[in-house]
Amino acid sequence: MNAPFSATGPAEHAPTPRRTGAPSMSVEWAALQDAAAAVAAMANLAAERVSPEIRNFPAVIRDIGGERLELAERSIADIGAMMRPGLTALLAVRARGQDATAPALTLWQEYHHARTALLALVPQQSDHGPRRSAG
C-alpha cells in the first residue's frame, strides 16, 4: 500500500498538524508520568524520584523547538498510545485477581526505553539557557 502524498511529499514526512483542543504537551507528559508510576507500582518497583530532566522536559524541548519539538510531540503521543491499552490490560488482570507483576514490569521497561530515547532529544550541554519548570 502506498503512502498518501501531501503537497510537500509523502504524508509520513509532512509536518504533523496541531490538533485543536488537544491537551498541551505538558499535560500529556504529566499524564504519562502518572501512568508510568501506576505501572511501576504494579511491577512492585520502588517509586521513582522524578528528576529535573524529566520534570522539565516539555519546557526545555519547547525552547529548542523545530524538528526536535515535532518529534517529541509525536513520540509522546506514541508512548501514550502504548501506555493506555497496556495500563487498561494490567488493571483488567488485577481485577480478575491475577498477578500483574511480570506484564507490568515488561510495560515499565518498554516505557522506560521510550522515555530515555525521548529525553535524548535534549542536548546534554544545551545552549538554550537554564532549565526551567514546565508549569
Side-chain angles (χ1 to χ4, degrees):
M1 181 171 165
N2 291 335
F5 279 77
S6 70
T8 59
E12 67 267 12
H13 298 295
T16 303
R18 295 239 186 240
R19 295 171 292 163
T20 305
S24 74
M25 183 177 15
S26 295
V27 171
E28 290 182 44
W29 184 248
L32 278 178
Q33 303 318 303
D34 291 344
V39 170
M42 284 188 253
N44 292 325
L45 298 173
E48 182 180 38
R49 184 187 154 281
V50 180
S51 69
E53 177 185 34
I54 294 168
R55 183 178 50 252
N56 298 334
F57 178 76
V60 174
I61 199 71
R62 258 192 315 271
D63 287 348
I64 292 170
E67 291 178 356
R68 287 178 189 237
L69 174 60
E70 290 175 16
L71 181 56
E73 288 171 336
R74 286 192 304 270
S75 297
I76 288 171
D78 290 347
I79 295 169
M82 170 188 72
M83 292 294 283
R84 280 186 294 278
L87 185 54
T88 299
L90 291 173
L91 292 171
V93 167
R94 290 190 48 164
R96 289 192 305 265
Q98 297 174 318
D99 183 17
T101 305
L105 183 57
T106 300
L107 182 58
W108 165 256
Q109 290 169 336
E110 290 297 321
Y111 163 78
H112 191 267
H113 289 298
R115 184 185 68 186
T116 300
L118 186 59
L119 293 173
L121 291 173
V122 175
Q124 291 300 317
Q125 295 295 341
S126 176
D127 59 351
H128 296 282
R131 294 183 185 246
R132 58 186 174 101
S133 174

